[in-house]
């Protein structure tokens, strides 16, 4: 009996296996799979249009160039892609295994477009897209979550210039790129987002070739905006008017290039876009695939319409599809950066090899486990927007398998070679040093040297030489001890300061500080909870200060950060002070004790909590600062007063042509206040031709006015760059400037000093015109500005109302 049962079981297994094979064969034959590649580089081409029969049924390749079409419907393939020659494949070619389609690039010429009577069909489609914009925008969901696998690598590619056997450097670079990448980052993260502004991304696993420090792991995920539907689309640190912005049809020319029909029966409209002629704004050019199901974007390929010399060529791609609940959501994001070696700052134009090779950085992000409108708890959103789990938890099996499918032998060789080179050259230590130098510190073992104190200048002290030292985390991450000394060649005084910082959590956003400071400070100036260094545009006004008072101050401060957007500092100090009244020879002394609170609020700012520190990876579009002080009779303090100070700066787009920068300042002080605690008007005029100091009154003399109550508004409106679409390399930027302020000085303060100060209670007005980027030189650019003073405080001599300024800007830190 058992023998019979065994035979029956064997027969059943054979039958099941046979049917499985029979069923698998037609299932496998139901589809034709292939891949589209660039003929010259061998790179995959994403979002290629593929039509497979005369009824215009078709599909689009994915971000890696792969596609699938139903074999029963496929009579031929028509493969088309902007910038490449269209290719046709007959039925016989579709049987090739593997099916690789190589497209040959052609030159793209944006020719003049003839506009004929009647409605542009592409605009009709785009109007429907814009009407459905809110419904299809993933950022309009109440919330979402996803797991992302991101890889960023750097390689080299040939340019179109002829390569000769003598170009050994270029040849070796290209040969090396066939064996390994020059650099590679892989990151797997889990992200939660919920309206109105809650966001958290946990880095689950990551690896960087040659580097172990996780603070370097955000580079690849911050290259482009997550959603194409935003009015301003961000690439690197540049903002472009999106072709799906509210006013896109007025600024962009859309053309219907093709119409495909998906297997689901939806129409897929292929629409190209480019800025309209004679429009002056940062625009993009590329192709959209619009799905008629909801008139949603299915694919988005784009690059800047104009690329300035010395900046990388950027290509971005986004792929959307529908979630099971019907919402459209990003599936794949791709960014490509091409750096021409001969245009890099250290390149020599005489080296012909550099014209023939370009560095290419590629970022590819795949989104998995996507959910729309999930239910979150408070634990899903820690204080910092990004945290690093340090590989503490295993990855889900499907995520790990996905990563393994997208890795290659080149990746393994990259890690092997670059990790070895990184250890041999101490790459991580060098990068850490570079990061410290950018922040003003040069690490010397457990001691940091503050290079910003080495040389400084103002018109009161003249040239100042100094030395600043502070212990770093090499000694302890829980405390630091520091000090500085300076000598002013004009006032011939040695000044110094010392401090002790305690960091209870090991992070710098929680600090208790005790300090002594012997320093000169500006009369009527302010000190908000912000950095004041050469990377900030307001730094240039500090060079013009000529009225200062001397202070010897003991302070205790407690800084904490309850939110990633909010810093609070509680402060208490006692000081001995002395000052000279402007226009008089007498010197006055007074003692002052204060308690106060300082706030910095930066809505939208996002921070990353890494093991070695907290980093800002997404700056806020606005910053707000508030100081509140109270004079108290402690430690022989002689003055009882209340002082409030406010400052806000914002950046937004009023017009497509350029950014609007707005700064607001104000203050109020009441009570028995010493003269240096009054407000000086924020003037920056020292002579008819001087240094440009943004967000101050260019025509107001330094300390020309004094007030105990004031408000000021500074507006800088960019009109865009001239000759934006030319290839001259000369693209000056025009800015309109409008400044206004009002300040009142009560009589009791006006009569308190030997010289009667003057206020500007009737309103101070000035307008200006600036031309920036006249002479760009790598990190720096130069400009000119002209300003005119008018209104109640215009000077009797008309020529005295003009001010001419020379502008000096750091290109990566313009505000």
């Amino acid at each position: 009996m058992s023998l019979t049962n065994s035979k029956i079981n064997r027969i059943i297994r054979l039958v099941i296996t046979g049917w499985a094979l029979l069923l698998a064969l037609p299932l496998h034959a139901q589809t034709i799979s292939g891949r589209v590649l660039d003929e010259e580089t061998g790179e995959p081409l994403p979002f290629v249009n593929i039509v497979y029969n005369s009824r215009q049924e078709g599909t689009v390749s994915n971000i890696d160039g792969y596609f699938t079409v139903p074999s029963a419907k496929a009579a031929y393939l028509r493969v088309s892609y902007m910038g490449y020659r269209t290719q046709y494949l007959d039925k016989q070619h579709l049987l090739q295994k593997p099916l690789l389609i190589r497209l040959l690039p052609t030159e793209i010429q944006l020719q003049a477009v003839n506009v004929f009577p009647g409605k542009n069909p592409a605009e009709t489609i785009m109007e429907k897209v814009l009407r459905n914009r809110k419904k299809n925008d993933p950022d309009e969901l109440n919330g979402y979550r996803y797991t992302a696998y991101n890889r960023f690598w750097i390689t080299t590619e040939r340019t179109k210039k002829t390569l000769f056997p003598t170009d050994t450097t270029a040849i070796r670079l290209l040969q090396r790129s066939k064996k390994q990448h020059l650099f590679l980052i892989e990151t797997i993260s889990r992200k939660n987002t919920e309206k109105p502004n809650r966001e958290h991304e946990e880095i689950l696993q990551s690896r960087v070739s040659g580097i172990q420090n996780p603070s370097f792991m955000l580079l690849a995920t911050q290259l482009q905006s997550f959603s194409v539907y935003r009015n301003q689309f961000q690439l690197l640190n540049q903002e472009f008017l999106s072709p799906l912005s509210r006013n896109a049809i007025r600024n962009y020319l859309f053309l219907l290039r093709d119409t495909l029909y998906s297997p689901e029966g939806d129409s897929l409209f292929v629409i190209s876009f480019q800025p309209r002629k004679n429009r002056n704004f940062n625009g993009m050019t590329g192709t959209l695939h619009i799905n008629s199901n909801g008139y949603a974007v299915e694919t988005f390929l784009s690059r800047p319409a104009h690329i300035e010399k010395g900046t990388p060529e950027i290509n971005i791609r986004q792929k959307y599809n529908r979630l099971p609940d019907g919402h459209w959501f990003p599936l794949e994001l791709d960014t490509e950066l091409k750096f021409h070696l001969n245009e890099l700052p250290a390149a020599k134009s005489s080296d012909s090899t550099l014209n023939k090779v370009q560095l290419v950085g590629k970022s590819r992000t795949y989104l998995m486990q996507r959910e729309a409108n999930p239910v979150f708890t408070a634990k899903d959103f820690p204080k910092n927007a990004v945290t690093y789990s340090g590989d503490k938890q295993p990855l889900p099996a499907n995520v790990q398998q996905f990563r393994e499918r997208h890795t290659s032998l080149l990746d393994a060789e990259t890690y092997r070679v670059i990790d070895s080179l990184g250890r041999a050259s101490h790459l991580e230590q060098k990068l850490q040093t570079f990061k410290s130098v950018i922040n003003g510190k040069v690490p010397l073992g457990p001691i940091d040297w503050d290079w910003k104190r080495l040389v400084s200048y103002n018109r009161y002290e003249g040239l100042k030489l100094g030395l600043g030292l502070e212990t770093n985390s090499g000694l302890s991450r829980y405390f630091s001890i520091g000090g500085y000394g300076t000598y002013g060649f004009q006032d011939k005084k040695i000044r110094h300061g010392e401090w002790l910082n305690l960091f209870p959590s090991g992070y710098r956003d929680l600090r208790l500080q005790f300090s002594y400071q012997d320093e000169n400070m500006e009369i009527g100036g302010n000190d908000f909870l912000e950095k004041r260094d050469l990377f900030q545009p307001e730094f240039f006004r500090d060079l013009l200060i000529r009225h200062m008072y001397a202070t010897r101050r003991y302070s205790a401060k407690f800084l904490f950060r309850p939110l990633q957007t909010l810093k609070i500092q509680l402060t208490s100090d006692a000081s001995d002070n002395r000052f000279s009244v402007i226009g008089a020879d007498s010197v006055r002394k007074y003692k002052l004790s204060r308690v106060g609170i300082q706030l910095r609020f930066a809505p939208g700012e996002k921070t990353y909590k890494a093991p070695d520190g907290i980093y800002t990876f997404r700056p806020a579009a606005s910053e707000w600062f508030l100081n509140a002080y109270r004079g108290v009779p402690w430690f022989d303090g002689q003055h009882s007063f209340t002082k409030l100070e406010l400052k806000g700066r914002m950046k937004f787009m009023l017009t497509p042509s350029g950014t609007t920068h707005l700064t607001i300042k104000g203050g109020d002080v009441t009570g028995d206040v010493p003269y240096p605690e009054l407000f000086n008007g924020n003037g920056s005029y020292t002579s008819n031709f001087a240094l440009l100091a943004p967000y101050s009154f260019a025509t107001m003399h330094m300390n020309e006015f004094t007030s105990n109550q004031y408000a000021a508004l500074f507006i800088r409106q960019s009109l865009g760059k001239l000759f934006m679409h030319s290839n001259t390399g000369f693209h000056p930027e025009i800015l309109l400037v409008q400044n206004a302020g009002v300040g009142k000085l009560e009589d009791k303060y006006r009569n308190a000093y030997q010289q009667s100060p003057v206020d500007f209670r009737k309103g101070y007005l000035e307008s200006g015109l600036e031309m920036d980027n006249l002479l760009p030189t790598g990190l720096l650019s130069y400009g000119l500005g002209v300003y005119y003073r008018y209104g109640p405080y215009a000077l009797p001599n008309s020529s005295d109302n003009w001010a001419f300024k020379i502008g000096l800007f750091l290109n990566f830190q313009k505000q």
Side-chain angles (χ1 to χ4, degrees):
M1 185 69 178
S2 60
L3 182 60
T4 305
N5 287 337
S6 176
K7 290 182 178 179
I8 292 174
N9 290 338
R10 190 179 302 118
I11 292 171
I12 291 173
R13 286 196 296 270
L14 288 172
V15 170
I16 292 174
T17 304
W19 274 106
L21 290 172
L22 288 173
L23 289 173
L25 287 173
L27 283 173
H28 180 74
Q30 283 178 357
T31 60
I32 297 172
S33 299
R35 197 180 195 191
V36 187
L37 307 174
D38 184 299
E39 172 69 33
E40 294 183 351
T41 66
E43 289 293 312
L45 295 177
F47 313 155
V48 176
N49 305 319
I50 299 169
V51 174
Y52 49 80
N53 59 37
S54 60
R55 293 188 297 275
Q56 283 290 102
E57 292 183 288
T59 187
V60 178
S61 66
N62 72 3
I63 207 166
D64 294 307
Y66 290 104
F67 67 91
T68 301
V69 299
S71 61
K73 295 183 177 182
Y76 59 86
L77 291 188
R78 173 166 61 85
V79 185
S80 61
Y81 194 58
M82 185 170 288
Y84 289 79
R85 293 181 183 175
T86 299
Q87 190 172 140
Y88 294 86
L89 286 80
D90 58 27
K91 186 77 173 181
Q92 186 172 355
H93 283 90
L94 304 187
L95 301 177
Q96 294 178 358
K97 304 290 182 183
L99 178 56
L100 297 178
I101 304 171
R102 303 180 185 275
L103 297 186
L104 188 65
T106 60
E107 290 290 337
I108 300 177
Q109 298 292 337
L110 295 180
Q111 301 175 357
V113 177
N114 296 318
V115 179
F116 298 99
K119 185 73 172 178
N120 180 348
E123 289 187 5
T124 302
I125 297 168
M126 291 305 301
E127 287 172 355
K128 295 179 180 179
V129 172
L130 298 181
R131 281 199 297 269
N132 287 274
R133 197 171 78 128
K134 188 172 183 180
K135 182 179 70 174
N136 294 321
D137 186 354
D139 285 335
E140 292 294 333
L141 294 169
N142 290 328
Y144 56 81
R145 66 157 49 107
Y146 61 79
T147 300
Y149 167 61
N150 176 273
R151 50 186 290 111
F152 175 83
W153 67 100
I154 297 176
T155 185
T156 57
E157 291 181 0
R158 290 183 57 176
T159 64
K160 295 183 179 180
K161 294 185 177 294
T162 304
L163 194 64
F164 297 106
T166 54
D167 298 320
T168 54
T169 302
I171 292 172
R172 288 175 181 173
L173 276 172
L174 294 170
Q175 289 175 342
R176 174 62 65 89
S177 295
K178 293 179 180 179
K179 299 177 181 178
Q180 66 167 85
H181 308 302
L182 302 182
F183 182 69
L184 175 62
I185 299 177
E186 290 183 282
T187 303
I188 297 175
S189 62
R190 184 72 167 157
K191 184 166 185 178
N192 301 325
T193 300
E194 186 176 50
K195 277 189 172 182
N197 55 13
R198 297 210 297 177
E199 178 181 317
H200 176 244
E201 185 168 10
E202 181 184 10
I203 299 178
L204 304 174
Q205 284 193 8
S206 58
R207 188 172 183 183
V208 184
S209 56
I211 306 171
Q212 300 299 317
N213 190 333
S215 66
F216 295 98
M217 293 176 184
L218 282 175
L219 170 67
T221 60
Q222 306 298 318
L223 298 178
Q224 61 167 289
S225 295
F226 179 72
S227 170
V228 71
Y229 291 95
R230 296 177 182 176
N231 286 318
Q232 297 297 322
F233 194 92
Q234 187 166 353
L235 298 176
L236 293 178
N237 292 323
Q238 303 179 66
E239 288 190 342
F240 298 83
L241 183 69
S242 170
L244 282 89
S245 62
R246 287 187 295 269
N247 54 359
I249 294 178
R250 188 166 69 248
N251 292 287
Y252 278 97
L253 174 66
F254 296 96
L255 296 174
L256 181 60
R257 298 293 186 179
D258 205 348
T259 302
L260 314 179
Y261 299 97
S262 71
E264 295 80 15
D266 301 322
S267 299
L268 196 61
F269 305 108
V270 184
I271 296 177
S272 67
F273 59 88
Q274 64 188 70
R276 289 186 180 272
K277 190 176 181 181
N278 299 325
R279 295 300 173 98
N280 188 29
F281 65 91
N282 274 353
M284 311 170 80
T285 181
T287 305
L288 293 162
H289 287 83
I290 305 298
N291 194 302
S292 62
N293 188 332
Y295 283 88
V297 174
E298 187 166 316
T299 70
F300 174 58
L301 297 89
S302 183
R303 60 183 177 86
H306 173 74
I307 302 172
E308 292 187 22
K309 185 177 181 180
T311 59
E313 177 185 336
I314 310 173
N315 295 289
I316 64 108
R317 301 133 182 159
Q318 294 191 355
K319 168 73 173 176
Y320 290 70
N321 70 350
R322 284 192 297 272
L323 298 177
D325 64 359
H327 286 103
W328 286 87
F329 200 84
L331 178 67
E332 299 164 336
L333 308 173
D334 181 83
T335 308
E336 184 179 73
L337 310 172
K338 293 185 177 181
F339 299 85
H340 295 277
L341 289 177
N342 61 314
E343 294 181 358
L344 294 178
K348 296 180 180 179
S349 58
S350 59
D351 190 344
S352 61
T353 296
L354 299 180
N355 294 321
K356 301 173 182 180
V357 180
Q358 57 188 357
L359 284 179
V360 182
K362 300 184 180 184
S363 171
R364 197 154 293 172
T365 302
Y366 305 88
L367 306 186
M368 300 164 282
Q369 301 175 337
R370 301 169 299 159
E371 299 177 58
N373 301 320
V375 178
F376 291 115
T377 65
K379 294 181 179 179
D380 292 317
F381 298 98
K383 183 175 71 174
N384 298 285
V386 178
T387 56
Y388 177 70
S389 64
D391 304 340
K392 294 177 182 178
Q393 51 184 307
L395 291 176
N398 60 334
V399 176
Q400 185 63 43
Q401 290 168 5
F402 185 91
R403 183 220 172 221
E404 291 170 356
R405 288 199 306 269
H406 288 79
T407 56
S408 66
L409 293 177
L410 268 71
D411 298 344
E413 183 67 6
T414 301
Y415 286 127
R416 187 188 70 80
V417 174
I418 303 300
D419 287 353
S420 175
L421 290 175
R423 289 189 295 269
S425 62
H426 306 289
L427 176 61
E428 189 161 339
Q429 293 91 323
K430 291 178 181 178
L431 287 173
Q432 197 68 41
T433 299
F434 177 75
K435 186 171 65 173
S436 298
V437 170
I438 290 295
N439 290 322
K441 311 288 186 181
V442 177
L444 305 171
I447 305 293
D448 281 344
W449 166 47
D450 186 351
W451 64 263
K452 291 182 294 185
R453 289 190 180 272
L454 181 61
V455 179
S456 58
Y457 174 85
N458 61 65
R459 298 183 68 201
Y460 180 84
E461 298 170 298
L463 179 68
K464 287 174 61 178
L465 297 182
L467 176 66
L469 300 172
E470 183 178 11
T471 63
N472 56 37
S473 58
L475 180 65
S476 173
R477 63 180 298 178
Y478 296 100
F479 73 88
S480 70
I481 302 172
Y484 70 89
T486 62
Y487 177 77
F489 283 86
Q490 187 160 301
D491 71 337
K492 296 180 170 39
K493 296 288 186 181
I494 296 176
R495 307 283 180 183
H496 63 93
E498 296 80 34
W499 59 86
L500 166 67
N501 290 322
L502 302 176
F503 309 108
S505 68
Y507 287 92
R508 300 299 172 106
D509 63 342
L510 181 64
R511 181 189 69 197
L512 179 62
Q513 181 186 82
F514 302 96
S515 65
Y516 169 76
Q517 185 179 19
D518 177 4
E519 189 65 275
N520 287 321
M521 306 188 74
E522 182 185 13
I523 292 177
N526 50 50
D527 183 23
F528 291 104
L529 197 58
E530 63 177 336
K531 288 184 177 181
R532 292 294 291 268
D533 55 36
L534 59 87
F535 298 119
Q536 303 297 327
E538 293 175 80
F539 159 81
F540 296 107
R541 185 182 177 278
D542 295 344
L543 303 176
L544 308 175
I545 295 173
R546 60 178 300 179
H547 300 295
M548 307 187 81
Y549 70 98
T551 182
R552 295 178 177 177
R553 181 176 298 175
Y554 294 88
S555 302
K557 298 177 181 180
F558 178 57
L559 173 73
F560 60 101
R561 192 171 193 162
L563 305 170
Q564 68 177 336
T565 57
L566 177 64
K567 286 183 180 180
I568 300 176
Q569 181 165 267
L570 306 178
T571 179
S572 176
D573 57 53
S575 59
D576 288 319
N577 308 277
R578 55 187 295 160
F579 68 94
S580 299
V581 177
I582 298 174
D585 294 330
S586 63
V587 175
R588 296 198 177 186
K589 301 179 181 180
Y590 66 93
K591 291 188 175 183
L592 183 65
S593 296
R594 303 182 307 171
V595 293
I597 183 171
Q598 295 179 289
L599 305 178
R600 175 189 177 270
F601 178 54
E605 182 175 78
K606 303 298 182 184
T607 56
Y608 167 39
K609 186 176 182 180
D612 66 336
I614 295 176
Y615 304 90
T616 297
F617 69 91
R618 188 186 305 165
S622 65
E623 283 185 288
W624 297 90
F625 304 91
L626 176 67
N627 292 343
Y629 295 106
R630 176 69 184 172
V632 293
W634 305 343
F635 304 106
D636 300 323
Q638 300 169 337
H639 295 270
S640 177
F641 65 93
T642 301
K643 184 175 184 179
L644 298 174
E645 298 175 281
L646 173 70
K647 175 181 174 180
R649 50 177 174 238
M650 291 156 278
K651 181 178 71 171
F652 48 88
M653 298 286 289
L654 283 178
T655 65
S657 59
T659 306
T660 303
H661 294 272
L662 186 148
T663 296
I664 299 171
K665 296 181 180 179
D668 177 81
V669 60
T670 58
D672 180 22
V673 59
Y675 175 66
E677 296 293 330
L678 297 173
F679 305 111
N680 63 28
N682 291 289
S684 60
Y685 180 93
T686 55
S687 64
N688 282 341
F689 208 78
L691 190 65
L692 170 61
Y695 313 110
S696 63
F697 289 104
T699 60
M700 181 188 291
H701 294 250
M702 304 286 290
N703 297 86
E704 180 179 353
F705 299 104
T706 303
S707 61
N708 66 292
Q709 296 176 329
Y710 88 101
L713 176 68
F714 305 93
I715 303 174
R716 293 162 60 84
Q717 174 63 56
S718 172
L719 301 181
K721 294 182 178 180
L722 299 179
F723 320 118
M724 180 175 286
H725 304 294
S726 72
N727 295 319
T728 61
F730 179 63
H731 306 286
E733 182 179 6
I734 307 299
L735 297 98
L736 293 180
V737 178
Q738 179 60 56
N739 301 328
V742 59
K744 177 183 176 182
L745 184 67
E746 296 179 10
D747 289 341
K748 63 178 179 180
Y749 304 119
R750 188 187 304 274
N751 300 325
Y753 306 101
Q754 293 178 3
Q755 182 186 36
S756 296
V758 178
D759 63 19
F760 52 113
R761 65 182 63 193
K762 296 180 182 179
Y764 190 93
L765 298 170
E766 71 176 18
S767 297
L769 178 69
E770 295 179 13
M771 186 173 291
D772 186 18
N773 207 39
L774 287 176
L775 188 62
T777 57
L779 294 177
L780 294 176
S781 66
Y782 301 89
L784 294 173
V786 57
Y787 310 85
Y788 186 71
R789 169 176 177 166
Y790 56 94
Y793 297 95
L795 300 175
N797 188 347
S798 179
S799 62
D800 292 335
N801 293 309
W802 292 93
F804 303 91
K805 304 281 186 173
I806 300 175
L808 177 64
F809 301 97
L810 289 165
N811 288 328
F812 61 88
Q813 195 66 30
K814 291 179 185 177
Q815 296 288 332

